[in-house]
Amino acid sequence: IRYSEEIGDILRTHNAFMTISVDSGTEETYKRIKRVDAYEQTWNNIKQYIIDAKNNPNANVELKYIVIPGVNDSIDEAKKFIEKCIEINCQYIKTEIEHFYMKENYNNKMPESCKEVFKYFFQIAKEKNLKLMTEGVGRPWVMSKINE
């Protein structure tokens, strides 16, 4: 993600809600998912957007982690994502299961690795007082599968 001064200005002065889907906690996974070598640049720019929105009660930046089975569904990856969020003072986290995976596996059990990642997000959000939302059409599926 590139930093845009125009977006920064909107976050400082307008009603604005920005969601950035990072989907990773490590440079390797970021590169694998996004197919670009811009992990540190992305986090630096997100940090600036959070700073831009900080003094505007009508603006918010949230970070999203789409759990992709077999790609970023490890506790280590999720922990590193949360560590980065805390490091840059991001309080708003959104999670969801990768849409096509959920659609193709709707009647199957969720992989244990994915369950553990979602459980970790719920636990750490409570411990660190982060605002966590599980989103999208997959939310009911995730919530029903997580305790199977």
Side-chain angles (χ1 to χ4, degrees), residues 19-31:
T19 301
I20 304 166
S21 190
V22 180
D23 309 326
S24 59
T26 63
E27 189 170 348
E28 299 78 31
T29 303
Y30 182 87
K31 198 182 303 185

Side-chain angles (χ1 to χ4, degrees), residues 3-115:
Y3 181 78
S4 164
E5 191 58 48
E6 290 174 63
I7 293 173
D9 184 54
I10 290 168
L11 289 167
R12 287 187 291 275
T13 60
H14 292 77
N15 290 342
F17 193 79
M18 180 180 208
T19 301
I20 304 166
S21 190
V22 180
D23 309 326
S24 59
T26 63
E27 189 170 348
E28 299 78 31
T29 303
Y30 182 87
K31 198 182 303 185
R32 181 176 177 195
I33 294 169
K34 305 297 183 183
R35 297 184 180 157
V36 63
D37 187 7
Y39 179 78
E40 288 301 326
Q41 176 188 353
T42 297
W43 282 101
N44 290 336
N45 292 340
I46 293 168
K47 181 178 180 178
Q48 185 58 52
Y49 285 132
I50 290 170
I51 290 167
D52 291 338
K54 183 178 181 179
N55 293 320
N56 181 352
N58 298 314
N60 188 22
V61 177
E62 71 178 8
L63 298 184
K64 189 172 185 178
Y65 192 102
I66 299 173
V67 178
I68 306 167
V71 178
N72 66 352
D73 59 339
S74 74
I75 293 295
D76 186 54
E77 195 73 33
K79 282 182 180 179
K80 289 178 179 171
F81 171 78
I82 292 295
E83 287 169 8
K84 289 296 254 184
C85 290
I86 291 168
E87 179 184 317
I88 64 170
N89 295 315
C90 180
Q91 293 294 303
Y92 298 90
I93 312 294
K94 190 178 276 189
T95 63
E96 70 178 85
I97 191 80
E98 197 276 326
H99 178 75
F100 292 109
Y101 177 85
M102 191 252 340
K103 191 174 176 183
E104 292 172 8
N105 293 280
Y106 194 81
N107 293 318
N108 299 327
K109 287 189 173 195
M110 181 188 288
E112 288 301 316
S113 56
C114 294
K115 287 182 190 181

Side-chain angles (χ1 to χ4, degrees), residues 95 97 102 110 115 118-119 122 132-148:
T95 63
I97 191 80
M102 191 252 340
M110 181 188 288
K115 287 182 190 181
F118 281 107
K119 287 178 183 178
F122 297 141
L132 175 71
M133 185 169 96
T134 300
E135 142 176 290
V137 295
R139 183 184 191 287
W141 186 81
V142 167
M143 300 312 286
S144 71
K145 300 288 182 177
I146 200 165
N147 293 313
E148 277 189 339

